[in-house]
Every structure is written in C-alpha cells, then in structure tokens.
Amino acid sequence: MPVVRCEPIVDVDEPVEAEVLVSSRRLSFLGGVDPETGEVVDPSHELCGKVLTDQVLVLPGGRGSTVGSYVLMEMAHRGTAPAGIVVREAEPILVVGCVLGDIPLFHKPERDLVSELDNGDVVRILPGGKVEV
C-alpha cells in the first residue's frame, strides 16, 4: 500500500486500521456532532447521518466554537470518537480536542487525501505521521 506522509500532532503507538469518512467541508463538533452517538447531526453537512465512531475522518479541517474541543474529549470518554483524524491543516480547536481525548491527529499530508479517498476506503494510520492508503 502506498504511504502518505503527514505531520503527526497526536501520534499513534500502534497502527490503527479503519474505514474512512471523507468530507470536502470543514466540520464543527459543537452542534455538528452528537457526542453520545458519534453521529454528524449538522443538516447542512455532507456527512449528516454518518457515524464517526471508529472511522478515520479525512477533511480540510475543523471549524467552530472552542467548545468543540470538549465535544471531542467527551466523544473519546464515551467511546464514540473517530479512530483518527487527518486534515489538510489542523487549527487549535481540533488540536486541543484531540490532545484531550487522545485521538490520533495528523495534518499537512503530502498528497490531498480529501480528493484521493472515498467513504468506505480502508487506511492504516502508522506511527510517525504515516498513512497507508
């Protein structure tokens, strides 16, 4: 499998293999995702109705309120968090949420995974900021 190098922000100790959910749009976790179920509930988002739990979320980045960090932390606590997140550019809200929830977060992939991957593709997140696609 080809490997795409990224910058790890919250790295993994062991490989994580999971299906991906891809979006061409940024996602706000506050009001956009139900932390109890992991479901995207923002009716205007292309992933509305999809469940992020145990998926690798691939998107341009996050957006929204600083409380989104705590939503990610709550998702991790409840077991509804994504298995990992790969973004073009991680902003502070996403970084803090992933650090607090110990959710793998990679950014600045050397190739545009948003346009390269499709929902349901399987990837492996590897230590050191590598993603097998």
Side-chain angles (χ1 to χ4, degrees):
M1 295 179 93
V3 172
V4 176
R5 296 187 189 287
C6 307
E7 290 184 19
I9 295 174
V10 179
D11 208 348
V12 295
D13 294 325
E14 300 290 326
V16 174
E17 185 171 317
E19 289 186 4
V20 298
L21 282 175
V22 182
S23 174
S24 61
R25 298 182 49 214
R26 293 177 173 271
L27 178 64
S28 173
F29 285 86
L30 177 64
V33 179
D34 181 343
E36 291 185 18
T37 64
E39 181 180 346
V40 177
V41 294
D42 177 351
S44 69
H45 200 279
E46 64 189 307
L47 294 179
C48 187
K50 302 284 187 189
V51 176
L52 305 180
T53 307
D54 297 329
Q55 306 287 306
V56 173
L57 184 59
V58 178
L59 64 163
R63 67 173 173 79
S65 169
T66 55
V67 178
S69 298
Y70 297 102
V71 172
L72 277 165
M73 182 181 71
E74 181 180 352
M75 291 175 73
H77 175 73
R78 290 178 177 273
T80 61
I85 301 174
V86 180
V87 294
R88 290 180 185 145
E89 186 71 36
E91 79 294 328
I93 294 166
L94 195 58
V95 171
V96 170
C98 288
V99 168
L100 291 172
D102 197 27
I103 300 166
L105 175 63
F106 291 1
H107 81 148
K108 298 184 179 179
E110 63 186 354
R111 295 197 324 250
D112 184 14
L113 296 179
V114 170
S115 62
E116 186 174 320
L117 295 172
D118 294 312
N119 289 342
D121 288 349
V122 175
V123 298
R124 290 181 72 212
I125 296 176
L126 306 171
K130 295 177 251 175
V131 180
E132 277 185 352
V133 296

